[in-house]
Amino acid sequence: MATYAAVDGSRLAGALAEIAVVRERLGGESSGWRIREVGDGNLNLVFIVEGDKDSVVVKQALPYVRLVGESWPLPLERSWFEYSALTEQARHAPGLTPEVFHFDRAQAMIVMEYLRPHVIMRKGLIRGIEYPRFAGDIAEFLAATLFNTSALAGTAATHKARVELFAPNTALCKITEDLVFTDPYREAPLNRWTRPWLDAEKQAFERDSALKVAAQALKLKFMTSAEALIHGDLHTGSIMVTGEDTRVIDPEFAFIGPMGFDVGAVIGNLLLAYFAQGGHEAAPSARDAYREWILGEAEKVWSEFHDRFLALWRAAPSGDAYPASLFASDDDRAAMEKERGRFLRALFEDTLGFAGAKMIRRILGLAHVEDLEAIADPERRARCEAKALRLARELVVGARGFSGLADVSGAARAVERGKS
Ligand code: SR1
Ligand code: MG
């Protein structure tokens, strides 16, 4: 297939049969392969293909935003950025991404490992399931991918080449610039919120100068801060888990951006799950232990990320930034250690700001999250959402005031109990 064509079951079987590595993996005759479309995301087609021997997942980009329709065109090349990011992430965080078997740039199609019995982390959070490996694995993914794709680890030339490779992913960045950082704070035709219960919050956010300025400072950072290769959409729907394994999927929004955007996405989505528990528990307080598990995981994600990132930095032979040749004396080494602390504190504040912005967009913008959407009673949902908005605003405007993630947990508890 040379010219792009969106596939359906029969066309897909024929296309996959022509790819030796996939044909052999699936086994048997292509006419016997069982194919079903399972995509429930906002953008793409996703198929599970089961053969006699094994199964694969096929992800194909559509030339438009699936959630909205053909009126919103979107470049197929996002598939190339996803493939490039998956390849690079796998080098730095082996075992934490799906294995890629085949990529077809013209068809915007990636054939990859079918992860089972994994579930989307977000669905597990809705059901109240604990995943013991989650925080450690995600902290490892974040530290390894963010540190090793930054100029702290490599040469300036390598960093610039990476910036150049991912810079054309502008359409996907524009989605984030509009949907995360802009539309929730203004009247925009695609905005949605739980009406009429959140009308007052929506209006208040549109008039909140301090919040809008803080959100725009984050947007500027998102647009210009070329720190590392970021996943770009690392919410809990982009993480697949079992009790023993964690994988990060779907990096089509990848580009060289601010590290805190990825760390903040994970923490912001955990906080959304925390506030959504009130909509899922059978009786008030029935999910209190699970609420605490979520907050504990958010704290662990940050602390383990922090420690791993620091360890990588201390051990690295050094990139072109902070060359080791400048820091030979004991005084130099002490100054460098202080500088690492300053860097990580700034990253912590970015993380909180981005976490808050990601929470707000999922409640007042176009694309919502199942954690909250699955709460059928709109009044009950709005109560959860209003609490999430309250903490999110604090994170965006007041990141500097939080001493650590435990402090954020305390603020979340206070909001949850109606004491803030
Ligand atoms: C129009 S796309 C909406 C959202 O879906 C993706 O998962 C990203 O989060 C994007 O912002
Ligand atoms: Mg996605």
Side-chain angles (χ1 to χ4, degrees):
M1 284 198 295
T3 314
Y4 172 85
V7 288
D8 56 20
S10 58
R11 206 199 309 243
L12 181 57
L16 295 180
E18 286 172 25
I19 308 163
V21 64
V22 178
R23 186 177 62 238
E24 279 154 29
R25 176 166 289 275
L26 287 168
E29 292 299 316
S30 60
S31 55
W33 295 345
R34 293 165 299 286
I35 300 180
R36 58 186 201 280
E37 210 275 316
V38 295
D40 65 352
N42 296 328
L43 300 179
N44 307 294
L45 295 171
V46 181
F47 299 89
I48 292 172
V49 184
E50 293 175 294
D52 289 357
K53 257 170 59 189
D54 202 356
S55 304
V56 297
V57 160
V58 178
K59 178 172 175 181
Q60 187 185 37
L62 288 165
Y64 53 86
V65 173
R66 182 177 183 163
L67 173 70
V68 175
E70 293 181 36
S71 61
W72 188 340
L74 203 59
L76 296 170
E77 274 294 88
R78 65 185 188 274
S79 187
W80 159 250
F81 297 113
E82 175 164 353
Y83 168 69
S84 303
L86 278 171
T87 308
E88 176 110 30
Q89 289 162 347
R91 285 204 297 124
H92 302 302
L96 293 174
T97 54
E99 190 182 344
V100 173
F101 302 130
H102 180 77
F103 174 61
D104 183 329
R105 193 166 181 173
Q107 295 307 319
M109 182 188 283
I110 304 172
V111 184
M112 62 190 130
E113 184 180 3
Y114 175 33
L115 298 170
R116 25 169 204 199
H118 299 63
V119 296
I120 297 283
M121 175 74 184
R122 193 185 296 294
K123 293 187 187 290
L125 288 163
I126 293 168
R127 291 168 57 202
I129 299 174
E130 298 184 9
Y131 295 98
R133 290 197 60 90
F134 165 75
D137 283 347
I138 288 301
E140 171 62 21
F141 176 86
L142 289 166
T145 59
L146 297 178
F147 180 81
N148 287 307
T149 63
S150 78
L152 298 175
T155 66
T158 309
H159 193 66
K160 284 173 170 52
R162 208 180 271 120
V163 170
E164 189 184 13
L165 181 71
F166 286 93
N169 202 9
T170 51
L172 280 275
C173 287
K174 173 105 173 81
I175 288 180
T176 304
E177 288 149 19
D178 291 344
L179 297 192
V180 176
F181 296 109
T182 314
D183 287 354
Y185 307 97
R186 66 179 176 189
E187 278 183 35
L190 294 175
N191 280 342
R192 297 189 294 121
W193 62 91
T194 307
R195 299 175 197 242
W197 294 277
L198 293 186
D199 286 356
E201 280 81 354
K202 177 71 175 78
Q203 279 165 21
F205 274 32
E206 284 177 25
R207 284 195 233 102
D208 190 334
S209 312
L211 177 61
K212 287 189 286 186
V213 164
Q216 292 319 293
L218 289 165
K219 181 179 180 181
L220 180 64
K221 202 165 270 183
F222 178 81
M223 291 176 356
T224 59
S225 182
E227 286 183 336
L229 174 64
I230 66 169
H231 178 285
D233 198 25
L234 194 40
H235 52 77
T236 48
S238 296
I239 300 170
M240 297 194 69
V241 280
T242 66
E244 296 81 38
D245 192 43
T246 311
R247 306 292 185 99
V248 175
I249 62 170
D250 279 358
E252 67 206 298
F253 284 76
F255 76 112
I256 312 304
M259 299 181 187
F261 191 76
D262 273 2
V263 192
V266 175
I267 288 173
N269 277 270
L270 287 174
L271 291 170
L272 284 175
Y274 172 82
F275 288 111
Q277 295 307 312
H280 303 307
E281 61 193 353
S285 294
R287 293 258 190 125
D288 276 358
Y290 193 60
R291 286 185 174 88
E292 285 304 308
W293 181 80
I294 295 174
L295 293 182
E297 290 303 285
E299 290 177 28
K300 259 195 257 167
V301 167
W302 172 258
S303 66
E304 294 193 19
F305 163 75
H306 173 281
D307 293 355
R308 284 164 204 246
F309 191 97
L310 201 51
L312 286 169
W313 195 352
R314 285 179 182 142
S318 94
D320 276 358
Y322 306 100
S325 57
L326 292 185
F327 300 98
S329 73
D330 285 351
D331 280 357
D332 289 336
R333 278 189 285 275
M336 253 322 284
E337 197 54 17
K338 198 167 163 205
E339 172 61 3
R340 291 188 189 102
R342 185 207 59 76
F343 181 98
L344 279 158
R345 173 66 207 184
L347 178 47
F348 174 75
E349 289 174 19
D350 286 357
T351 293
L352 296 195
F354 286 125
K358 302 277 274 181
M359 293 166 75
I360 292 168
R361 63 79 54 113
R362 296 297 186 188
I363 298 170
L364 301 181
L366 164 69
H368 288 216
V369 287
E370 198 181 338
D371 313 56
L372 294 161
E373 295 296 285
I375 304 169
D377 173 359
E379 202 169 349
R380 190 174 180 192
R381 185 191 328 133
R383 275 199 299 276
C384 298
E385 291 173 329
K387 289 176 183 174
L389 286 175
R390 207 164 305 141
L391 180 67
R393 185 191 179 280
E394 272 188 64
L395 296 177
V396 173
V397 299
R400 229 173 293 167
F402 288 92
S403 60
L405 235 292
D407 206 9
V408 174
S409 295
R413 283 185 203 104
V415 170
E416 175 61 25
R417 291 173 193 150
K419 293 194 176 126
S420 163

PDB file of all heavy atoms in Angstrom, residues 59 233 235 238 250 252-253, ligand 2:
ATOM      1  N   LYS A  59      -1.848   0.489  15.253  1.00  0.00           N
ATOM      2  CA  LYS A  59      -2.367   1.839  15.478  1.00  0.00           C
ATOM      3  C   LYS A  59      -2.177   2.631  14.200  1.00  0.00           C
ATOM      4  O   LYS A  59      -1.061   2.712  13.671  1.00  0.00           O
ATOM      5  CB  LYS A  59      -1.609   2.492  16.643  1.00  0.00           C
ATOM      6  CG  LYS A  59      -2.053   3.904  16.918  1.00  0.00           C
ATOM      7  CD  LYS A  59      -1.421   4.455  18.192  1.00  0.00           C
ATOM      8  CE  LYS A  59      -1.802   5.923  18.382  1.00  0.00           C
ATOM      9  NZ  LYS A  59      -1.194   6.496  19.583  1.00  0.00           N
ATOM     10  N   ASP A 233       1.878  13.771  26.425  1.00  0.00           N
ATOM     11  CA  ASP A 233       0.457  13.483  26.727  1.00  0.00           C
ATOM     12  C   ASP A 233       0.392  12.345  27.754  1.00  0.00           C
ATOM     13  O   ASP A 233      -0.371  11.390  27.605  1.00  0.00           O
ATOM     14  CB  ASP A 233      -0.265  13.077  25.434  1.00  0.00           C
ATOM     15  CG  ASP A 233      -1.790  13.187  25.559  1.00  0.00           C
ATOM     16  OD1 ASP A 233      -2.269  13.976  26.392  1.00  0.00           O
ATOM     17  OD2 ASP A 233      -2.491  12.482  24.806  1.00  0.00           O
ATOM     18  N   HIS A 235      -0.886  11.227  30.427  1.00  0.00           N
ATOM     19  CA  HIS A 235      -1.967  11.053  31.393  1.00  0.00           C
ATOM     20  C   HIS A 235      -2.122   9.552  31.697  1.00  0.00           C
ATOM     21  O   HIS A 235      -1.440   8.711  31.086  1.00  0.00           O
ATOM     22  CB  HIS A 235      -3.261  11.670  30.868  1.00  0.00           C
ATOM     23  CG  HIS A 235      -3.635  11.207  29.486  1.00  0.00           C
ATOM     24  ND1 HIS A 235      -4.196   9.978  29.254  1.00  0.00           N
ATOM     25  CD2 HIS A 235      -3.501  11.802  28.268  1.00  0.00           C
ATOM     26  CE1 HIS A 235      -4.418   9.835  27.961  1.00  0.00           C
ATOM     27  NE2 HIS A 235      -4.002  10.925  27.335  1.00  0.00           N
ATOM     28  N   SER A 238      -2.456   6.965  29.031  1.00  0.00           N
ATOM     29  CA  SER A 238      -1.281   6.619  28.219  1.00  0.00           C
ATOM     30  C   SER A 238      -0.366   5.650  28.964  1.00  0.00           C
ATOM     31  O   SER A 238       0.804   5.498  28.608  1.00  0.00           O
ATOM     32  CB  SER A 238      -0.477   7.878  27.867  1.00  0.00           C
ATOM     33  OG  SER A 238      -1.218   8.754  27.057  1.00  0.00           O
ATOM     34  N   ASP A 250       1.603   5.614  23.368  1.00  0.00           N
ATOM     35  CA  ASP A 250       0.988   6.787  22.708  1.00  0.00           C
ATOM     36  C   ASP A 250       1.750   8.109  22.743  1.00  0.00           C
ATOM     37  O   ASP A 250       1.127   9.172  22.961  1.00  0.00           O
ATOM     38  CB  ASP A 250      -0.392   7.078  23.352  1.00  0.00           C
ATOM     39  CG  ASP A 250      -1.471   6.160  22.798  1.00  0.00           C
ATOM     40  OD1 ASP A 250      -1.155   5.348  21.923  1.00  0.00           O
ATOM     41  OD2 ASP A 250      -2.628   6.294  23.245  1.00  0.00           O
ATOM     42  N   GLU A 252       2.497  10.366  20.682  1.00  0.00           N
ATOM     43  CA  GLU A 252       2.407  11.103  19.415  1.00  0.00           C
ATOM     44  C   GLU A 252       2.540  12.615  19.607  1.00  0.00           C
ATOM     45  O   GLU A 252       2.772  13.350  18.645  1.00  0.00           O
ATOM     46  CB  GLU A 252       1.102  10.769  18.684  1.00  0.00           C
ATOM     47  CG  GLU A 252      -0.135  11.257  19.379  1.00  0.00           C
ATOM     48  CD  GLU A 252      -1.358  10.412  19.034  1.00  0.00           C
ATOM     49  OE1 GLU A 252      -1.716  10.379  17.861  1.00  0.00           O
ATOM     50  OE2 GLU A 252      -1.943   9.796  19.947  1.00  0.00           O
ATOM     51  N   PHE A 253       2.401  13.084  20.866  1.00  0.00           N
ATOM     52  CA  PHE A 253       2.561  14.516  21.134  1.00  0.00           C
ATOM     53  C   PHE A 253       4.016  14.872  21.464  1.00  0.00           C
ATOM     54  O   PHE A 253       4.295  15.986  21.904  1.00  0.00           O
ATOM     55  CB  PHE A 253       1.658  14.946  22.293  1.00  0.00           C
ATOM     56  CG  PHE A 253       0.192  15.077  21.921  1.00  0.00           C
ATOM     57  CD1 PHE A 253      -0.594  13.949  21.757  1.00  0.00           C
ATOM     58  CD2 PHE A 253      -0.388  16.322  21.723  1.00  0.00           C
ATOM     59  CE1 PHE A 253      -1.939  14.062  21.406  1.00  0.00           C
ATOM     60  CE2 PHE A 253      -1.723  16.445  21.376  1.00  0.00           C
ATOM     61  CZ  PHE A 253      -2.506  15.310  21.210  1.00  0.00           C
TER      62      PHE A 253
HETATM   63 MG    MG B   2      -3.244   9.352  23.331  1.00  0.00          MG
END
